[in-house]
Amino acid sequence: MGGKSSPSNSQMVNFEMEQANEAKQKEADRQARLNVGKDAIDKLFGADNFGTGFYDKYNKASLDYTLPQLDTQYSKAKRDMTYDLARAGTLRSTAAGEAQGYLENEKAVNEAALRAKADTDTASLRQSIASQQQQAYNQLYATEDPAVAANAATHAVANASIQQPSISPLGDLFKPLIIGATGAVGGYSDTAQLNNYLKANPATGSGNYQFNS
């Protein structure tokens, strides 16, 4: 009786080997595409664009804005304190030393807080950029198209590279010191000392002060 003959064992084995080799080649090609895309993403998000210098510059930009404001407020607070101490006749007293210590401590605390905020903001930027890099990986694995992933990563890097700290004018950092007044400047020496101080430290926002004995 006629009819088609069944494939031989040898033919079946050859067919399965061909299928296996084809699948192996497809996977090799896939991995090659993924590696090309990953290398491109790693380079875009690497040290050339987002190295230590990039984050240091971001951190410094924040401090360059806030620390001068701190210094200005400190100078004014010190000037006001000196004015009030002279009015109270306690310019060279123990209270004056304590007031100066309090003011210096406030300055140190405020500076530490500003530096900590700059560090926190910089760390947040690092996390944001790392997240964008992971998104680029995810797109690469989803599309298996290195060109598409690289283009998206390039756009993300361009935006991230021009990030600037979120800055705004600082509020009042120094609490006014309560200094008991005696109703008059306590003696000529205090008056002269205060006036010499005021001449050496011009006003930085409020009116000029001048005492007469």
Side-chain angles (χ1 to χ4, degrees):
M1 295 178 65
K4 295 182 179 178
S5 61
S6 300
S8 66
N9 288 339
S10 176
Q11 289 175 322
M12 289 295 295
V13 169
N14 289 337
F15 177 75
E16 290 174 355
M17 289 180 61
E18 288 175 1
Q19 291 291 97
N21 288 335
E22 184 178 342
K24 185 177 180 180
Q25 185 60 51
K26 285 182 178 180
E27 179 59 23
D29 292 342
R30 175 180 175 275
Q31 288 298 328
R33 291 195 303 273
L34 294 178
N35 288 337
V36 168
K38 187 175 184 301
D39 288 344
I41 292 169
D42 288 344
K43 184 175 182 180
L44 285 166
F45 284 94
D48 287 346
N49 289 323
F50 301 114
T52 300
F54 171 80
Y55 294 106
D56 287 348
K57 183 179 179 181
Y58 182 89
N59 188 282
K60 184 176 182 295
S62 177
L63 295 177
D64 284 350
Y65 181 79
T66 58
L67 292 185
Q69 293 185 65
L70 172 66
D71 289 339
T72 297
Q73 289 197 32
Y74 168 76
S75 296
K76 183 179 183 302
K78 185 175 181 179
R79 181 183 180 82
D80 291 345
M81 179 192 71
T82 303
Y83 175 85
D84 291 340
L85 286 168
R87 289 186 61 193
T90 55
L91 194 57
R92 293 183 295 178
S93 66
T94 301
E98 292 176 349
Q100 180 62 37
Y102 176 83
L103 195 63
E104 293 293 336
N105 181 70
E106 266 201 309
K107 183 176 187 290
V109 169
N110 282 316
E111 181 173 344
L114 293 175
R115 291 186 180 279
K117 184 179 185 305
D119 290 343
T120 299
D121 290 346
T122 303
S124 295
L125 178 62
R126 284 182 181 273
Q127 291 179 340
S128 174
I129 290 175
S131 176
Q132 292 177 59
Q133 184 174 10
Q134 185 59 53
Q135 290 175 17
Y137 288 148
N138 293 342
Q139 184 174 37
L140 172 65
Y141 297 138
T143 64
E144 297 183 9
D145 188 331
V148 170
N151 287 337
T154 299
H155 181 70
V157 167
N159 288 334
S161 64
I162 59 174
Q163 287 290 318
Q164 294 294 324
S166 177
I167 52 179
S168 58
L170 300 179
D172 292 336
L173 299 176
F174 294 89
K175 298 178 182 178
L177 295 176
I178 306 301
I179 299 173
T182 61
V185 175
Y188 174 80
S189 60
D190 275 1
T191 305
Q193 184 178 354
L194 175 63
N195 286 334
N196 287 336
Y197 172 84
L198 295 178
K199 290 177 182 177
N201 299 271
T204 57
S206 56
N208 289 317
Y209 299 126
Q210 177 70 35
F211 275 102
N212 296 313
S213 57

